[in-house]
Amino acid sequence: MKSGFVSILGRTNVGKSSIINSLVGEKVAAVANKTQTTRTVIRAIVNRQNSQIIFIDTPGIHKPKSKLGDVMVENAFGVTKDADVIVFVIEATSEEIGKGDKLILEKIKEANKKTILVINKIDLVDKAKVAKLIEIYKNEYNFSSIIPVSTVKNINLDVILDEIEKNLNEGPAYYDIEEYTDQTTRQLVEETIREKALKLLQDEVPHGILVEVEKMKKKKTMQNEPIYNIEATIYCLRESHKGIIIGKNGGMLKKIGTYAREDLEKMLGIKINLKLWVKVREDWINKDRFLNSFRLN
Ligand SMILES: Nc1nc2c(ncn2[C@@H]2O[C@H](COP(=O)(O)OP(=O)(O)OP(=O)(O)O)[C@@H](O)[C@H]2O)c(=O)[nH]1
Ligand SMILES: [Mg+2]
């Protein structure tokens, strides 16, 4: 039996969470075509015949514009220090090694661990471009392997698991076989609501959203069917954002709620009654007292 912790590191929006969701086969982490989608470090578990791989999804590396951003980047590099294997994800569309990737490469060289380079989104470019990127990166570090993949087209994803397994040491199963994440149901609910808000809202509004579940109670309907009554608050940075999140005649909030409910019903296998509120928590992304829960230990 082999096992180990695998940290997924990369710039924001390169597809780290998409890769993890696909490899685990469950929706573990929020995915959106926005920067800074993942805010916290999330564990996701893949059980194979002779191994258990524990993935650590990390917030994307970016130039922080808030205290929250500082914490996110710090956490991403922080957990990578404890990983057995690093999976460094870059985008196939890159022309060369940009600033962000350069910084990550420096940290990888410092860590000097077994590192697999994954070039994601190959569906967007031609083969010659991928070959050129491989050449550029080969000269930078002695990667255990370089794997071009497309997560949306499901190309080469299983190769990532094979390569990780090769690089793991012998070890026990750290998690029960039926577990696939360390997140609580409450966290999954909060992340699902935030993901819908991220997808539906524009500009700076979605980056200042924080979701907190206030109540979660299982009940029976009149027809004796089980139902989850969930109430949550969406916090935002300022009054003007609140109006945008609620939308004309409450339309935007309704949409966020409907999309989140549909996903959660599938995920949790139970009917859900979801109530959402919107409140302002003025500039919380720069206030320490709200950021403590994001800090690791
Ligand atoms: N075309 C294409 N798009 C992809 C692929 N993989 C992921 N995406 C898209 O890329 C966007 C970002 O994906 P995420 O998985 O949220 O990226 P991330 O690296 O986790 O981002 P952060 O959490 O912000 O660091 C989403 O819109 C995905 O659908 C791929 O193989 N091809
Ligand atoms: Mg992510």
Side-chain angles (χ1 to χ4, degrees), residues 16-18 29-31 37-38 57-60:
K16 299 178 295 299
S17 300
S18 305
V31 166
T37 298
T38 304
D57 191 11
T58 67

Side-chain angles (χ1 to χ4, degrees), residues 94-218:
S94 310
E95 294 295 337
E96 49 183 34
I97 307 176
K99 262 193 192 156
D101 287 324
K102 224 174 223 149
L103 175 68
I104 298 167
L105 261 174
E106 273 168 32
K107 298 278 180 183
I108 285 172
K109 286 174 189 170
E110 249 172 58
N112 196 23
K113 290 183 189 202
K114 294 168 192 164
T115 302
I116 296 166
L117 179 70
V118 168
I119 304 176
N120 190 31
K121 308 194 186 182
I122 57 166
D123 53 290
L124 299 178
V125 300
D126 58 34
K127 282 194 174 131
K129 190 151 182 175
V130 177
K132 206 172 133 198
L133 262 184
I134 293 175
E135 273 318 304
I136 295 175
Y137 274 87
K138 249 188 188 163
N139 296 324
E140 289 293 328
Y141 189 76
N142 187 16
F143 292 104
S144 306
S145 53
I146 298 179
I147 315 170
V149 308
S150 165
T151 310
V152 293
K153 297 250 161 86
N154 198 5
I155 301 169
N156 264 352
L157 286 177
D158 44 344
V159 181
I160 301 179
L161 292 179
D162 292 340
E163 283 302 320
I164 289 171
E165 199 173 87
K166 270 189 215 163
N167 286 293
L168 287 182
N169 293 322
E170 280 192 13
Y174 293 95
Y175 287 87
D176 285 340
I177 262 175
E178 63 275 10
E179 280 184 79
Y180 62 87
T181 180
D182 68 335
Q183 291 175 100
T184 58
T185 308
R186 171 185 290 263
Q187 285 170 310
L188 283 172
V189 170
E190 290 172 347
E191 281 293 275
T192 304
I193 298 166
R194 197 171 62 83
E195 181 193 75
K196 302 311 166 198
L198 264 174
K199 283 188 165 151
L200 290 164
L201 297 163
Q202 306 301 327
D203 305 322
E204 60 156 348
V205 183
H207 297 299
I209 280 179
L210 180 74
V211 180
E212 278 180 11
V213 167
E214 319 282 352
K215 272 190 204 159
M216 275 176 64
K217 227 179 172 131
K218 272 186 197 160

